[in-house]
Amino acid sequence: MIVCVVVVLGYALMASRTGAAIDRGLMPLRFVAVDRAASGKVVVVEMDAESASHIKRWPWSRENYARVVDRLRGAGASSIVFDVDFAAPSDDVGDRSFAAALARADGLVALPTFGQTAGSSDRRTIDALPIPMLRTNVALASVSIRPDPDGQVRNMPFGTVTAGTPRPSLSAYIAARSGAADTDFPIDMSINPGSIPRLSFVDVRDGRFDPESVRGRNVLIGATAVEMGDRYGTRQWGVIPGVIVQALAAETLLRGVPVRGSPLLMLLLASLAAAAMVGFRSAVPSIVVAIISAASIVVCVLVAQHHFLVIYPVATPLTMIAITTLACLVRDVFGRFRNQRLSDDATGLPNARALLQRVTRDAATIVAAAQIDNYEALRAVLGNRIAADVIVRVGERLALIAEDRLVYRTADHQLAFFLPAEQLVDDTLHGLRAILLQPIEVAGRRVDVAVSIGVASGNHTATEQLLSDATLAAEKARASGGFWRQAATDIDELERSISLMGELDEAMAAGQIEVFYQPKYHLREHRIVSVEALVRWRHPTRGFIGPDVFIPIAEKTNRIAPLTIHVLKQVINDASEWRRHHSDVTAAVNISAKLLSAPAFNADVERVLTSCETPNSAFVFEVTESAAMSNTVTAIAALRRYRDLGVAISMDDYGTGQSTLTYLRQLPLNELKIDRSFVQFAHQNQDDGILVRSTIELAHKLGLKVVAEGVEDAGCLKFLNATGCDLVQGYLISRPLPLDQLNKLLASDYQYAA
């Protein structure tokens, strides 16, 4: 927005008289940068005060000019150009003498022509030419000088039209440069007038000069005496005689013809500089860029003008940069005020006000509140400043999973953040727990921080209520000794919403029910040998709904069977795709407890399995320990039938139920999955370690493979490898992946690098 405004203002300035006036005012500064001596190719014969005192009578008899022409011609001058008015007759003898000298010069001399106003009340222009007897053997050149509106001379015309004929200006004639009549070129005022060679008129007339000083040079004759008038103002050199202005213009053209560069290029460069300045959030780097940009533009403009004779305007780009600098300063000031209002003083983190002002991208918003349960104790021991550092360190860890990596301090002991709506909350927070359990190092000390998290989801317009619900859920998680808890109000709403289950059939048809796959990694073979299918519901308004929320409701409303069949069909289709290149990678599907004793469901499963082209040995059915125990006879019969069809059977979440050794031996199992609650800290907790080790030994004696769930750090993996565990599953290996990402992982021949 700032850049657009600056460009519009710059264009308006470029097209206005104001911009031209500023450029005129800055022009002298360009010439100060370079001090250039005249080339010496132009010699001024000045009608100075000394000459006037010797000749006395004014106007001078033209016999004096005749003698000067003869002297200069005899000395070998390349050209003789007069900046003297010969439009009126003088004494007859003098006119004839001058005409004769011009004839002898035979085209070596140029006489002036110019336009003048008819009178003070008559603004017509009258063309002034030399009297007829003087025109025969000479060239005519214009001596018109056009000061700018402020009275200062900066430009010289290439020529003018007098008596209906285009005439070159004296400077264009001397330099032999062509140009359109009534078009101007800028005079190079960096040339020092004092460096122009000069001879006194009376000395030349009387032969008191070195002929070598004019040999091969262009001689310009004109008045420099104050009493003779013909003086002009310049910004660089003050008031100087017109003949010197003509000499400076001739010296300019002898170097080359100056041209005016496109102002649009300057507008573009300033626009790029403005965009770069605005791109910085702080005013300091913006000012640095402004200084560098302005200096670069000035240097480039000076180089272009003095070395390449291209003159670019600087008013527009410098004004644009100045305006942008001012805008960045104002923005920075307002930004500082805003940041102070929206940030926490102690930590610099955004505060609750900033969280409530944030506009989320999704209709469904998930707010998490992280409560530091031992904050008061930490503050008492460490002091306020170091305790604030602890908050910052915790915030850095929470930012790893926060949407846009933003974490807000909403209370002394509380941080809040948004969770990505496209990820399952349970998956995201399980990975976070291991990170938060690691001690935090502040001020050379390692401290343990106890964190409880509450999560609330709902409409993005109710962020304040969601924060309140999440805070309450975090407190309940602390009170119950858990790590995190979903806001009860949100779960109750879903459980009460029968209409949500009414949407399930439509969701399956619309492709909102998605299947992600979490790899199982074989520790001996060092590769992925299986994946577990995990269902996700991408609700159009609620975002991702986790299976821990909608599957229990689906069970209660008798919609779990069609959902499971839908998932099984999707897994079969997906498995047929990856097994073209990875034929030994199996897929596990979770079977609900209620379905094991449902004949209609089992018949549907058998029909799906027998009709698919993929061998049934490519699939594993995972059932929970409690599912098998709920109806032993029916469950065993169903599981055996699946085994007969070639499907492997896995007991999920082992360790959370009430199984016995005899019971395990009765079940037609191929695999045992140890629940993450025992695995996650088995390498640190002695009791968990004993349980995991003994379970692995028991399973192996029963001929079962063992899968350890919830592996999230390298220490745990090392422990499991040492105990002889067969497979591991968890965030250390991979998060649940959609099919396309799973295919890429399999194609990479993934191996975990410890």
Side-chain angles (χ1 to χ4, degrees):
M1 181 63 182
I2 293 177
V3 176
C4 292
V5 172
V6 169
V7 171
V8 171
L9 291 175
Y11 187 83
L13 180 65
M14 181 182 70
S16 69
R17 293 183 178 180
T18 302
I22 296 174
D23 271 313
R24 286 197 300 269
L26 293 175
M27 188 62 73
L29 298 177
R30 301 190 186 197
F31 298 124
V32 169
V34 177
D35 185 10
R36 180 176 288 113
S39 67
K41 295 179 181 179
V42 177
V43 178
V44 172
V45 173
E46 52 182 341
M47 298 161 61
D48 54 3
E50 180 184 358
S51 300
S53 67
H54 277 78
I55 299 176
K56 299 185 184 301
R57 173 173 164 265
W58 182 259
W60 296 346
S61 172
R62 288 174 181 161
E63 187 178 2
N64 293 291
Y65 302 125
R67 293 171 62 186
V68 166
V69 168
D70 287 338
R71 295 286 189 185
L72 293 173
R73 180 173 57 84
S78 177
S79 67
I80 304 168
V81 182
F82 280 89
D83 184 12
V84 180
D85 182 9
F86 298 116
S90 182
D91 63 286
D92 186 60
V93 174
D95 288 345
R96 290 181 181 278
S97 176
F98 189 34
L102 295 176
R104 290 191 294 273
D106 192 21
L108 188 65
V109 179
L111 298 183
T113 176
F114 57 92
Q116 58 185 351
T117 56
S120 60
S121 60
D122 188 347
R123 306 313 297 172
R124 290 177 302 162
T125 299
I126 298 176
D127 294 329
L129 279 71
I131 59 176
M133 72 163 39
L134 302 180
R135 300 180 203 167
T136 306
N137 299 293
V138 300
L140 297 181
S142 171
V143 293
S144 296
I145 296 177
R146 299 169 180 171
D148 287 333
D150 60 356
Q152 304 298 306
V153 175
R154 297 180 180 87
N155 303 291
M156 183 69 72
F158 279 103
T160 60
V161 177
T162 55
T165 303
R167 319 278 185 185
S169 64
L170 290 188
S171 52
Y173 176 82
I174 292 171
R177 302 288 186 181
S178 61
D182 295 323
T183 60
D184 294 341
F185 64 90
I187 301 173
D188 185 357
M189 290 294 180
S190 66
I191 301 171
N192 190 334
S195 65
I196 298 174
R198 304 189 191 195
L199 296 171
S200 175
F201 184 90
V202 71
D203 288 342
V204 174
R205 185 198 67 177
D206 296 341
R208 295 191 302 271
F209 70 100
D210 182 1
E212 291 299 324
S213 64
V214 298
R215 193 180 309 279
R217 292 174 171 79
N218 300 285
V219 178
L220 181 57
I221 304 171
T224 60
V226 175
E227 58 268 26
M228 293 183 182
D230 192 32
R231 304 180 77 80
Y232 294 90
T234 65
R235 287 291 183 191
Q236 186 72 13
W237 304 110
V239 178
I240 58 177
V243 69
I244 300 302
V245 174
Q246 298 285 2
L248 291 175
E251 286 282 354
T252 300
L253 291 182
L254 284 170
R255 292 189 65 235
V257 179
V259 296
R260 289 182 172 85
S262 171
L264 293 177
L265 177 60
M266 293 292 100
L267 185 71
L268 175 61
L269 292 178
S271 300
L272 295 176
M277 293 165 63
V278 171
F280 291 99
R281 292 176 178 244
S282 170
V284 174
S286 298
I287 293 173
V288 172
V289 172
I291 294 172
I292 294 174
S293 300
S296 300
I297 287 174
V298 169
V299 169
C300 291
V301 165
L302 291 176
V303 170
Q305 177 175 334
H306 293 290
H307 291 275
F308 300 101
L309 304 181
V310 181
I311 299 176
Y312 289 99
V314 294
T316 295
L318 294 184
T319 302
M320 289 173 64
I321 291 174
I323 293 173
T324 307
T325 303
L326 180 61
C328 289
L329 286 171
V330 172
R331 183 190 63 179
D332 187 64
V333 170
F334 278 99
R336 289 177 186 273
F337 281 125
R338 182 178 182 275
N339 288 340
Q340 289 175 359
R341 182 173 174 270
L342 299 179
S343 63
D344 175 61
D345 292 336
T347 62
L349 294 172
N351 57 21
R353 189 181 289 110
L355 180 141
L356 297 177
Q357 288 187 5
R358 182 177 181 272
V359 178
T360 60
R361 295 188 295 265
D362 304 292
T365 299
I366 306 174
V367 176
Q371 176 178 292
I372 300 178
D373 301 327
N374 58 339
Y375 179 71
E376 293 301 331
L378 291 173
R379 184 160 62 176
V381 173
L382 302 175
N384 289 331
R385 185 181 63 81
I386 299 179
D389 290 342
V390 172
I391 293 287
V392 173
R393 298 286 88 77
V394 174
E396 290 171 351
R397 296 183 178 187
L398 297 176
L400 296 174
I401 64 167
E403 189 174 56
D404 296 332
R405 298 294 189 261
L406 288 175
V407 177
Y408 306 79
R409 189 182 190 185
T410 50
D412 278 353
H413 68 301
Q414 178 180 288
L415 297 167
F417 53 97
F418 291 92
L419 285 171
E422 68 275 7
Q423 296 180 14
L424 193 63
V425 174
D426 187 53
D427 289 344
T428 302
L429 294 184
H430 264 100
L432 177 65
R433 184 181 185 186
I435 297 173
L436 292 178
L437 285 172
Q438 301 299 319
I440 289 176
E441 185 169 332
V442 287
R445 303 179 62 173
R446 292 168 62 86
V447 297
D448 291 313
V449 180
V451 179
S452 301
I453 295 179
V455 176
S457 60
N459 191 285
H460 68 91
T461 60
T463 305
E464 186 172 8
Q465 182 60 49
L466 293 177
L467 178 60
S468 178
D469 293 343
T471 300
L472 181 61
E475 178 58 30
K476 290 183 177 180
R478 183 200 63 78
S480 64
F483 172 59
W484 79 279
R485 184 163 182 165
Q486 184 87 21
T489 53
D490 191 57
I491 296 175
D492 291 343
E493 177 191 350
L494 286 174
E495 290 180 343
R496 289 194 303 266
S497 178
I498 302 301
S499 63
L500 184 65
M501 287 299 101
E503 300 174 28
L504 186 57
D505 293 337
E506 182 180 344
M508 288 188 284
Q512 296 172 10
I513 303 299
E514 301 179 8
V515 180
F516 282 42
Y517 298 93
Q518 187 168 33
K520 299 178 183 178
Y521 187 79
H522 201 293
L523 292 176
R524 300 292 177 271
E525 298 179 10
H526 302 291
R527 65 187 183 93
I528 297 170
V529 297
S530 183
V531 294
E532 179 182 359
L534 301 170
V535 66
R536 304 285 189 266
W537 185 349
R538 189 191 295 270
H539 197 278
T541 58
R542 298 179 184 271
F544 266 115
I545 302 175
D548 56 329
V549 174
F550 73 86
I551 285 182
I553 304 174
E555 289 179 329
K556 292 180 183 178
T557 56
N558 295 319
R559 294 181 182 272
I560 192 64
L563 176 61
T564 303
I565 295 297
H566 175 82
V567 172
L568 178 60
K569 289 179 179 179
Q570 183 64 55
V571 172
I572 290 173
N573 288 336
D574 293 347
S576 66
E577 180 176 332
W578 77 63
R579 284 177 64 86
R580 287 199 297 266
H581 304 287
H582 308 280
S583 59
D584 56 349
V585 177
T586 61
V589 179
N590 289 281
I591 303 296
S592 172
K594 294 179 63 175
L595 300 180
L596 287 175
S597 55
F601 169 78
N602 291 323
D604 287 341
V605 171
E606 186 170 343
R607 190 160 40 250
V608 170
L609 291 174
T610 54
S611 63
C612 74
E613 297 180 359
T614 304
N616 293 341
S617 58
F619 305 108
V620 179
F621 285 172
E622 293 189 3
V623 294
T624 61
E625 187 178 345
S626 58
M629 294 301 173
S630 61
N631 190 330
T632 305
V633 176
T634 306
I636 292 175
L639 294 176
R640 284 180 175 169
R641 178 55 183 160
Y642 293 147
R643 274 285 297 269
D644 293 341
L645 291 172
V647 178
I649 306 299
S650 174
M651 177 174 286
D652 197 10
D653 300 335
Y654 179 79
T656 60
Q658 305 294 327
S659 62
T660 65
L661 297 180
T662 302
Y663 183 74
L664 282 178
R665 190 171 54 185
Q666 292 176 349
L667 295 178
L669 298 176
N670 302 87
E671 182 181 273
L672 193 66
K673 296 185 71 175
I674 307 176
D675 187 71
R676 73 173 64 204
S677 61
F678 300 102
V679 172
Q680 200 166 27
F681 305 107
H683 60 300
Q684 297 173 336
N685 185 296
Q686 184 177 4
D687 292 339
D688 288 348
I690 293 173
L691 175 62
V692 169
R693 190 184 301 272
S694 61
T695 300
I696 292 173
E697 292 175 357
L698 171 63
H700 285 168
K701 289 178 180 179
L702 294 174
L704 306 178
K705 290 187 296 183
V706 179
V707 180
E709 297 181 291
V711 180
E712 296 178 353
D713 62 57
C716 180
L717 182 65
K718 184 177 180 181
F719 168 81
L720 293 169
N721 199 17
T723 59
C725 184
D726 301 293
L727 294 90
V728 294
Q729 181 180 358
Y731 280 14
L732 185 66
I733 303 302
S734 173
R735 290 174 176 268
L737 303 171
L739 178 63
D740 58 340
Q741 294 183 28
L742 174 65
N743 284 332
K744 291 179 181 178
L745 186 66
L746 293 175
S748 69
D749 292 327
Y750 171 81
Q751 291 188 4
Y752 174 77

